[in-house]
Amino acid sequence: MKKGVLLFCFDTIDHEYHKILERCVYLIKKNLKLEITVVTDIVTYKRLKPLGFVNYKLIEPEIGNRKNGQDWLNVDRHMAYELSPYDVTLVMDIDYFPFTDNLRKFLDTKYDFLISKNAYDLTNRNSFDTRRFSIIDMVWATVFVFRKCEKTRMLFDMVKYVKSYYSYFCDMYRIYDKRFRNDYAFAIALEQLNGFISYDTLPYRLPTLPPDCKVIGMDDTGLAWRHNDQINYTNDQDVHVLNKEVAHV
Amino acid sequence: MDIGELKKQSDLSYNIAVAKRNALEKAESRLVVVYREHIFCADPQTINHVKTLSEMHTSPFYILDTNKNPVEITDPKEFLQLLIERNQEAISSYHQMSKTFERRGD
């Protein structure tokens, strides 16, 4: 059974995401030791330095959201099923840095689809308590694992359907932020497809650094950040970094 | 009363508290294991549960994974060993980290 990691990476005018990808690929090879496929566009591909054995799939990304006045090409996640060459796939955001092998084991389960409902705020401010922004539990599409099968294919079809009628679903589930979010698209699709009851999840809170934290240093084992003139660090722990300036560290 | 010293102490305490909380979170994420295609947490409750069943019940026995799905355990010894090893790996790492917090607090 073929197992691997699928990453999406598209540079924008504001951010050089390919630099973040280069770090992420290095850590995947070092810690997860899985084959990697990168979904990207030709412009980003040409900027990448040689990354060793990595598969590429070139697509033309759909115009995405704008966040804080900046472009954000992030709406192609629903194509992961078609784009993945693997039987079991770990899909990760490129700003999720795997400093451990923690995610590796989730490719060895019997579950068809696993995703986390919780993020852990590394600054201890509990800023990812998303329950109050909608009447549906949000999931974090930052990291998920799927096995190719009929049920999973239907899930991705459902995500596409939700995406097509996103404003309707936003109103239905009283989602505060009207911009398209993969997190809510997957949460809605999972709930709809599972008969409006619970579904299987990763028992794992994604360690996350909020956007107001500036990463000031990073090595093979972890990173340090500054927040409110306080410096803190973590090592041997995965970190999802929301501040895109990490590309320049 | 030197307000600057108090502020420094407060900042230090805050940093230590955040680092300690993060180290504990790191340990808890390491407790998650996959055994026979199911996910378990190598916490004291699971360890005690498996140990009790292995001693008081004939093999095989059944327990629930983290998604509340039943799993048949045919080799309790192997499973218990995995749980204890992972538990101690995570907690001993947390112990090492907590020593550095003590030093930072001195």
Side-chain angles (χ1 to χ4, degrees), chain A:
Chain A
M1 187 169 286
K2 217 173 164 192
K3 298 174 183 178
V5 183
L6 188 70
L7 304 168
F8 290 79
C9 176
F10 306 102
D11 276 0
T12 63
I13 293 168
D14 305 296
H15 295 295
E16 296 177 301
Y17 284 98
H18 72 277
K19 289 187 176 171
I20 304 177
L21 173 76
E22 287 166 3
R23 284 182 180 275
C24 185
V25 165
Y26 172 77
L27 290 170
I28 291 170
K29 287 186 173 187
K30 178 174 175 280
N31 296 318
L32 299 178
K33 296 178 173 60
L34 287 163
E35 191 179 313
I36 301 166
T37 296
V38 176
V39 179
T40 185
D41 57 8
I42 189 69
V43 177
T44 310
Y45 175 74
K46 283 180 176 172
R47 291 175 182 160
L48 281 166
K49 70 178 185 187
L51 296 174
F53 180 68
V54 172
N55 307 302
Y56 293 96
K57 292 214 170 181
L58 301 184
I59 66 166
E60 196 58 47
E62 190 181 332
I63 299 300
N65 287 318
R66 284 182 74 77
K67 194 178 182 184
N68 302 325
Q70 298 178 337
D71 283 332
W72 191 26
L73 303 175
N74 69 329
V75 297
D76 299 304
R77 194 64 56 98
H78 64 92
M79 292 159 62
Y81 189 94
E82 293 85 356
L83 292 169
S84 173
Y86 310 115
D87 300 310
V88 184
T89 307
L90 167 64
V91 180
M92 272 172 46
D93 279 4
I94 53 168
D95 52 9
Y96 186 92
F97 297 108
F99 291 108
T100 71
D101 63 353
N102 280 349
L103 295 179
R104 177 67 184 79
K105 57 183 168 283
F106 297 122
L107 281 83
D108 301 326
T109 76
K110 73 172 194 67
Y111 291 101
D112 296 330
F113 189 88
L114 286 169
I115 195 164
S116 180
K117 276 191 174 183
N118 299 302
Y120 170 73
D121 181 350
L122 285 163
T123 63
N124 237 334
R125 289 176 290 164
N126 198 24
S127 45
F128 303 114
D129 178 13
T130 55
R131 193 67 183 85
R132 60 207 150 104
F133 298 122
S134 74
I135 60 166
I136 185 176
D137 284 349
M138 197 185 89
V139 297
W140 286 84
T142 308
V143 169
F144 60 86
V145 178
F146 70 90
R147 179 190 307 274
K148 280 193 175 174
C149 62
E150 186 56 17
K151 192 180 170 195
T152 311
R153 190 192 58 74
M154 288 166 73
L155 173 68
F156 279 89
D157 285 348
M158 190 72 214
V159 174
K160 287 180 177 61
Y161 182 81
V162 171
K163 183 171 173 287
S164 302
Y165 300 99
Y166 193 67
S167 60
Y168 166 78
F169 283 106
C170 259
D171 288 343
M172 185 170 138
Y173 286 107
R174 299 176 193 269
I175 296 168
Y176 178 72
D177 189 348
K178 302 298 179 198
R179 290 171 301 185
F180 178 79
R181 274 190 79 163
N182 290 308
D183 306 317
Y184 280 118
F186 277 87
I188 293 165
L190 280 161
E191 182 169 276
Q192 296 266 333
L193 206 62
N194 283 288
F196 299 90
I197 55 167
S198 63
Y199 44 85
D200 299 321
T201 56
L202 287 170
Y204 188 69
R205 303 202 295 174
L206 304 178
T208 305
L209 207 51
D212 58 354
C213 296
K214 185 175 167 50
V215 176
I216 55 172
M218 189 191 290
D219 64 12
D220 284 7
T221 61
L223 52 79
W225 68 90
R226 177 184 289 129
H227 173 251
N228 275 352
D229 290 333
Q230 307 279 325
I231 292 175
N232 228 314
Y233 69 94
T234 180
N235 58 17
D236 299 327
Q237 182 176 32
D238 296 356
V239 184
H240 181 207
V241 178
L242 297 184
N243 187 324
K244 304 308 172 226
E245 294 303 319
V246 69
H248 306 293
V249 175

Side-chain angles (χ1 to χ4, degrees), chain B residues 76-89:
Chain B
K77 201 174 164 191
E78 176 193 59
F79 184 40
L80 194 57
Q81 190 174 341
L82 172 73
L83 291 172
I84 291 172
E85 276 174 10
R86 182 52 70 91
N87 178 278
Q88 283 307 294
E89 177 208 313

